[in-house]
Amino acid sequence: MTDSARRVAFLQEMGLGPIWSRRDIVSGTVSEFQEAPALEQVQPVPSVPATALIPTADAVQEQSVVQVTPRVSVDASVQHMDWLQLQSAVSGCRQCTLCHSRTQTVFGTGDQKARWLFVGEGPGRNEDIQGEPFVGPAGKLLDNMMGAMGLKRGENTYIANIVKCRPTDGNRKDRPPALDEATACMPYLERQIALIDPTIIVALGKTAALSLLKLDPATPVSRLRGSVHRYGDKPVIVTYHPAYLLRNLADKGKTWADLCLAMRSFETAD
Ligand code: URA
Ligand code: SF4
């Protein structure tokens, strides 16, 4: 599929078919001036607590970014675990206070030999109930994004999060993981990455990008888009979090550009 055909598929898959299009545009193509979708297609915006150390807005263009400073805290034995050991360690983990409020841990899902790894922030309410990452509206969009790339959940793809337990605020609403929570949980993701050994990593939003790339707080995250970063020797592409995209539809084109960069990087990666 060409990039432009994929873009059409992506936009259609996202439910963003054109509201207005020029009559002279060939059927099946997308107008460059495509309108935003009807409001009822837009998901509600979750509130973001000011107390969160890692802002959740997932708006990778936001300038105020709080640093994720790595502080190794989990037993180094994690680094030698096999899949079963790792899954068992996560399901019984009490390394941070998120263990108290979880219904269950959300380990990750997909092909353990996947070439593509997508990393999100952490489980939300739906994920906490179902035990699988990205099963709510943002998950549907992620599935559609992958579909537009010719990918599918569970087939040559793996989906994981920075934290494995759902972070909530005082009102039991979803919130982004705090610095200490992301740091405590990171060894599990690091081990998942080592075991999967993917060709490429797509960081979905701010939390994932900052945590994976261990960036300075002064880094304007908007600058992370459009470049190929590295996790070890692996290319990392940063794009918007699907939940952010659901409420900022004007950025869908940028997301598609990021995914095209990811596909190009994948093709040239070892
Ligand atoms: N958002 C995430 O970052 N991860 C999930 O699993 C679900 C929503
Ligand atoms: Fe353990 Fe991670 Fe859950 Fe914290 S979020 S309790 S470190 S699995």
Side-chain angles (χ1 to χ4, degrees):
M1 212 195 286
T2 63
D3 274 6
S4 108
R6 279 204 191 93
R7 178 167 182 259
V8 171
F10 173 60
L11 295 170
Q12 285 174 344
E13 286 287 335
M14 290 169 71
L16 305 180
I19 290 169
W20 174 87
S21 55
R22 282 170 44 188
R23 282 209 219 142
D24 57 336
I25 290 190
V26 181
S27 169
T29 63
V30 175
S31 165
E32 283 304 305
F33 305 101
Q34 186 174 24
E35 296 285 336
L39 277 178
E40 56 267 25
Q41 291 174 303
V42 181
Q43 302 298 316
V45 181
S47 62
V48 180
T51 50
L53 287 177
I54 301 173
T56 193
D58 310 309
V60 291
Q61 87 284 13
E62 284 184 12
Q63 301 293 307
S64 57
V65 173
V66 178
Q67 168 65 328
V68 177
T69 307
R71 273 189 261 132
V72 176
S73 58
V74 176
D75 188 342
S77 68
V78 168
Q79 304 311 323
H80 303 286
M81 288 179 176
D82 63 21
W83 278 107
L84 282 178
Q85 291 167 329
L86 189 61
Q87 271 167 318
S88 160
V90 167
S91 67
C93 179
R94 305 187 69 79
Q95 289 285 336
C96 82
T97 52
L98 294 183
C99 69
H100 300 305
S101 51
R102 71 185 177 215
T103 303
Q104 59 190 308
T105 54
V106 179
F107 182 75
T109 189
D111 178 353
Q112 293 179 350
K113 295 275 165 235
R115 301 290 84 218
W116 286 86
L117 173 63
F118 292 83
V119 179
E121 176 178 288
R125 199 174 81 89
N126 296 305
E127 291 76 20
D128 179 65
I129 292 167
Q130 295 186 41
E132 183 171 332
F134 283 100
V135 290
K140 174 90 173 78
L141 178 55
L142 177 60
D143 286 345
N144 291 339
M145 287 161 61
M146 291 193 298
M149 299 166 79
L151 299 171
K152 200 172 172 192
R153 182 183 290 242
E155 289 179 17
N156 205 24
T157 60
Y158 197 94
I159 305 171
N161 280 312
I162 296 295
V163 293
K164 314 304 190 199
C165 304
R166 178 193 179 199
T168 54
D169 64 17
N171 298 319
R172 294 288 295 156
K173 284 190 159 175
D174 293 342
R175 65 160 173 84
L179 170 64
D180 57 337
E181 296 157 353
T183 304
C185 214
M186 201 54 177
Y188 298 130
L189 179 61
E190 287 169 352
R191 186 61 189 151
Q192 285 174 303
I193 296 173
L195 286 167
I196 298 166
D197 192 22
T199 302
I200 191 163
I201 300 172
V202 179
L204 300 165
K206 181 184 291 185
T207 300
L210 292 178
S211 302
L212 279 169
L213 300 174
K214 303 194 188 309
L215 292 168
D216 187 278
T219 310
V221 182
S222 58
R223 293 209 199 125
L224 298 177
R225 290 189 50 254
S227 311
V228 180
H229 305 273
R230 297 278 157 191
Y231 175 94
D233 60 348
K234 298 184 189 310
V236 177
I237 304 297
V238 177
T239 193
Y240 297 101
H241 191 286
Y244 166 82
L245 200 58
L246 284 171
R247 50 187 198 263
N248 294 275
L249 293 158
D251 285 328
K252 60 187 183 288
K254 292 184 197 164
T255 299
W256 182 236
D258 298 335
L259 298 180
C260 288
L261 174 62
M263 288 186 280
R264 285 196 301 277
S265 305
F266 179 84
E267 270 149 32
T268 55
D270 297 335

